[in-house]
Amino acid sequence: MNDTIVALATAPGVGAIAVVRLSGENCIALAAELFAGKDLRTQASHSVHFGNLMDGDYLVDEVLATVFKNPHSFTKEDSVELSCHGSPYIVNRIIQLLVRSGARLAEPGEFTQRAYLNGRFDLAQAEAVADLIASENEAAHATALNQMRGGISNEIKNLREKLVHFASMIELELDFSEEDVEFASREELKALIEKIDVVLVQLIDSFQLGNVIKNGVPVVIVGKPNAGKSTLLNALLEEEKAIVSDIAGTTRDIIEDELNINGVKFRFIDTAGLRETKDQIEAIGVERAEQKMQEASLIMYLFDLSTESSEVIHQTEQMLQDKGKPYILVGNKLDKIEKEEVALSENEHYVSISAKSKDGVDRLKKLIWTKSQMDNFQPGNVVVTNARHYQSLVNTQNSLHDVLKGIDNKITNDFMAQDIRHALHFLGEITGEITTDDLLANIFSKFCIGK
Ligand code: GDP
């Protein structure tokens, strides 16, 4: 467990500098053997030293060596970071040299795993490190940072502590089963579980938001061929990604692109027209459009203001309402008609635009934001972004509901103690009080090497 591990910590490829990272009991001595400069063994923690990295008599590179002494390092072990010139050749040579000298190549996520096993943070926080590295926008960054700093862990630990108290009281009653004693008031236990349930519901509900923060809000754009879907997509993305053409039904493939609105990622999915068709290829496209509508968080239906009859628009709105999810009706080609010809006035479901001149596109963006309920997102809130945590929270909730049922049905203490233990188990899974080797391997294998 304390053997010296080594990996490139910076991104692979050519760079100004690259950082090779070492961690483990003997890593300072190991680096010192190869480092011609001050003796790294006698240097203070968090100090940086310039020197030559030598392979025998051969100068591999001039490097800066940063020394960290346990427990004041990321892994809480002795660590060394060698900043070298950022050539993949130099990096490989240095890593090979270190491996020849006794270090071992680190597994993916092994530095973070050691940090977790040495008590730097709990499992949920360790997982947030991976999310933080993967974050691409403000919302994903804020939630990952919050979680890494203990957001969800603190909530879970609070809940767990309260339950542990009751569990121990009930276990105590088991010891006195001959006598008719009640250390844990059933009324208080019920009240506590109900309180915990409120928090659990909040956390469980936040997963939907957490999921879109992490993966992007899927918005599907549908409408008849030539309504202007590709043009609108281009206007939103402000670049030419989709194919724009005058021939009906040319956008056969689903095109997906990402757009950042107020720091949140939105995934726009352009589909083939929802037109009844005998054309084989297009029929497949229509089927996929239906499927994309099922999967989307928001449906944007685009129609041509200059050609669509109000009857059809009305039917379309009915169809969208029947789907039971947030939708926006967008009347396009405003530039082609006289203002007074617009049959509908704008409301929370409807906006008229010109994708071509970008008139109204900003109003549409605002509507997309409110319709996808992103107003609920506050950067400081605890948001569940991890499917594993979500599952454990749902399992906790089910176990606690069993406890409540048990109280009502006056089940015996040993069964009740068991149900509470189940709930504690599931809560413990989130923060890592309860783990298995498989679970850890599964979590850390998703990290990159060097983290
Ligand atoms: P799609 O089939 O729904 O993807 O439609 P396209 O984006 O390919 O557009 C079809 C045609 O309508 C193209 O010739 C566009 O230039 C034109 N078009 C799209 N939006 C507008 C608009 O706001 N005003 C006008 N006048 N033409 C538009």
Side-chain angles (χ1 to χ4, degrees), residues 226-231 245-246 251 332-333 335-336 354-356:
N226 271 333
K229 296 180 294 300
S230 317
T231 311
S245 93
D246 283 321
T251 315
N332 189 30
K333 309 197 187 179
D335 56 291
K336 271 178 122 176
S354 164
K356 206 170 197 172

Side-chain angles (χ1 to χ4, degrees), residues 311-350:
E311 198 193 340
V312 171
I313 297 168
H314 185 74
Q315 282 170 358
T316 305
E317 178 146 30
Q318 200 58 51
M319 178 275 285
L320 291 171
Q321 272 169 2
D322 291 347
K323 293 208 183 294
K325 32 173 91 182
Y327 68 88
I328 304 173
L329 261 180
V330 186
N332 189 30
K333 309 197 187 179
L334 188 58
D335 56 291
K336 271 178 122 176
I337 59 165
E338 296 300 323
K339 287 259 189 258
E340 47 279 5
E341 283 179 54
V342 182
L344 290 163
S345 53
E346 291 201 357
N347 59 31
E348 53 159 342
H349 288 297
Y350 176 71

Side-chain angles (χ1 to χ4, degrees), residues 25 70 81 111 123 182 254 340 375:
E25 215 166 23
N70 82 75
E81 286 176 10
F111 291 91
L123 201 54
E182 194 180 276
I254 307 262
E340 47 279 5
D375 284 339

Side-chain angles (χ1 to χ4, degrees), residues 287-305:
E287 208 171 281
R288 282 167 69 196
E290 271 295 337
Q291 191 195 337
K292 289 284 164 191
M293 278 201 278
Q294 298 295 336
E295 293 165 9
S297 296
L298 174 66
I299 303 171
M300 228 158 69
Y301 190 99
L302 196 68
F303 63 88
D304 186 339
L305 277 170

